[in-house]
Amino acid sequence: MSTTRFQRRKEDRPREITEAAMAEFAERGYDATPMAAVAKRAGISKGLLYVYFDTKEALFKSVVRSFVTPKLNALRQEIDTSSLSAEAFLRGPFLDFARQLPKSRVRVLIRLMIAEAHRHPDLARWYWENVVSHGIDALRTLVARGVEN
């Protein structure tokens, strides 16, 4: 019975670590967040944290993949499957999406990238390639559909 409990816990650990990292990044910013603080908040040792994430950059990327990527993928899926006109989509689902961003935890990551990207150009480039460019591509698809119609 205890084996199952530990297996479940082990499977939950990456999510628990990214949750803790998100909270630490929100409170301290990227640069000021030590890995030890993330480990402490997650209730694990710093050494165990490094088993899951080699660097703070890898941890940050995992946080982005956990919190931002699903929202962006859902928007993209909605654009691809919606029967709404481009204008109706922009005034409806897209506007709803945009209004929810400032209320969501994603705003923390956006704020961090704006504030700290100049100190971390490789991370900023990764964020552009894996988040911003996908959002722009989704909008291009929507606008192209509108022009076509």
Side-chain angles (χ1 to χ4, degrees), residues 17-106:
I17 293 169
T18 56
E19 287 278 344
M22 179 65 157
E24 288 294 323
F25 290 144
E27 288 177 15
R28 301 173 186 242
Y30 179 79
D31 272 341
T33 298
M35 293 290 271
V38 174
K40 183 177 180 182
R41 187 176 286 242
I44 61 172
S45 70
K46 187 176 172 183
L48 184 58
L49 174 60
Y50 281 102
V51 168
Y52 289 93
F53 301 100
D54 294 345
T55 63
K56 183 164 51 168
E57 184 175 311
L59 177 58
F60 183 80
K61 289 175 181 179
S62 181
V63 169
V64 169
R65 284 186 202 105
S66 296
F67 291 95
V68 180
T69 303
K71 291 184 182 305
L72 199 53
N73 288 345
L75 177 65
R76 181 59 193 239
Q77 177 69 24
E78 198 170 353
I79 288 171
D80 290 344
T81 60
S82 177
S83 61
L84 294 173
S85 70
E87 180 182 358
F89 192 91
L90 286 170
R91 291 179 187 266
F94 182 79
L95 187 57
D96 292 341
F97 174 83
R99 284 182 176 150
Q100 289 178 15
L101 279 180
K103 300 172 191 169
S104 76
R105 297 191 325 175
V106 170

Side-chain angles (χ1 to χ4, degrees), residues 120-145:
H120 304 280
D122 290 341
L123 194 56
R125 187 175 311 104
W126 178 87
Y127 190 81
W128 175 266
E129 291 169 356
N130 291 277
V131 177
V132 177
S133 66
H134 291 278
I136 291 170
D137 185 52
L139 283 174
R140 278 191 186 124
T141 298
L142 184 60
V143 169
R145 187 170 74 208

